[in-house]
Amino acid sequence: MRINTTTLYLSLLSADGADNRPNLEGVNVKNGTACATDGTVLGCMPESGGFEGFIPSIACKAVLKGVKKDSTFQIDGEYLTRNDGVSFKMVENRDRGDFPDYACIMRDESSFKINESIKLDLSLLTRFENFLRRSGLATGVEMSFDDHMASVVLVSGEFTGVTMPMRKA
């Protein structure tokens, strides 16, 4: 099955393994939506390649290393393969656990209760900047503030990102 390059770049928003939450260490693709989170940021976008499942970040990073702009990717069984033959075996962590239910946070854009909206340079939000620039989706976004969740919502084309509210000390 084909997988979109931008879906693999979502791994930049996933956990790095240091916090011992393997269910966040990759990109989850379900019902045509790819999502990644580390528990503080969440990014989702459509995935039309037909794949359903979990792609470990380590596999994404391995095949994206040295990627060319016109590269395409396939998932064949347990292998993630680039069109030039670079391949990485996706080892499934059986104790990974379920990917969080993101639907309560990432909902239809019109349901966010936006009270203010500003535009700013993405360099102020380094992690979103890294994903959006490397994937080629955008260099700037409109940033909105949701009253309901006390979170920041970023929308750029098909990509929607949400920052999680800070916990009170």
Side-chain angles (χ1 to χ4, degrees):
M1 278 175 241
R2 197 173 154 269
I3 194 88
N4 295 320
T5 306
T6 49
T7 295
L8 301 178
Y9 276 117
L10 274 173
S11 65
L12 297 168
L13 302 178
S14 67
D16 64 6
D19 63 359
N20 201 25
R21 293 190 291 178
N23 60 329
L24 304 183
E25 295 173 13
V27 179
N28 189 64
V29 183
K30 185 176 179 182
N31 299 325
T33 300
C35 291
T37 184
D38 65 358
T40 60
V41 296
L42 168 68
C44 295
M45 60 186 308
E47 168 51 58
S48 58
F51 173 77
E52 294 263 327
F54 190 81
I55 310 168
S57 292
I58 192 168
C60 296
K61 291 172 184 170
V63 298
L64 287 171
K65 193 172 188 172
V67 70
K68 293 181 174 51
K69 191 166 185 87
D70 61 346
S71 293
T72 58
F73 299 89
Q74 295 281 117
I75 293 182
D76 184 20
E78 57 190 26
Y79 288 91
L80 176 59
T81 306
R82 197 166 64 203
N83 62 331
D84 63 1
V86 171
S87 186
F88 192 87
K89 185 174 183 178
M90 299 189 307
V91 178
E92 179 64 46
N93 180 346
R94 299 285 178 220
D95 298 326
R96 174 173 51 84
D98 293 332
F99 193 80
D101 179 11
Y102 58 88
C104 62
I105 297 165
M106 189 65 69
R107 52 199 194 276
D108 181 79
E109 183 183 341
S110 64
S111 71
F112 288 106
K113 296 177 183 175
I114 306 300
N115 64 9
E116 274 305 317
S117 182
I118 62 170
K119 289 189 178 185
L120 66 135
D121 187 318
L122 271 180
S123 64
L124 299 175
L125 299 166
T126 307
R127 297 198 57 232
F128 284 116
E129 175 196 20
N130 190 18
F131 163 69
L132 289 167
R133 286 186 190 275
R134 290 179 70 182
S135 67
L137 289 176
T139 56
V141 296
E142 184 172 330
M143 191 164 112
S144 304
F145 304 91
D146 177 45
D147 283 342
H148 175 70
M149 291 287 294
S151 55
V152 178
V153 181
L154 295 106
V155 177
S156 180
E158 294 183 321
F159 172 77
T160 302
V162 177
T163 62
M164 300 302 122
M166 291 181 65
R167 293 182 182 152
K168 294 181 180 178

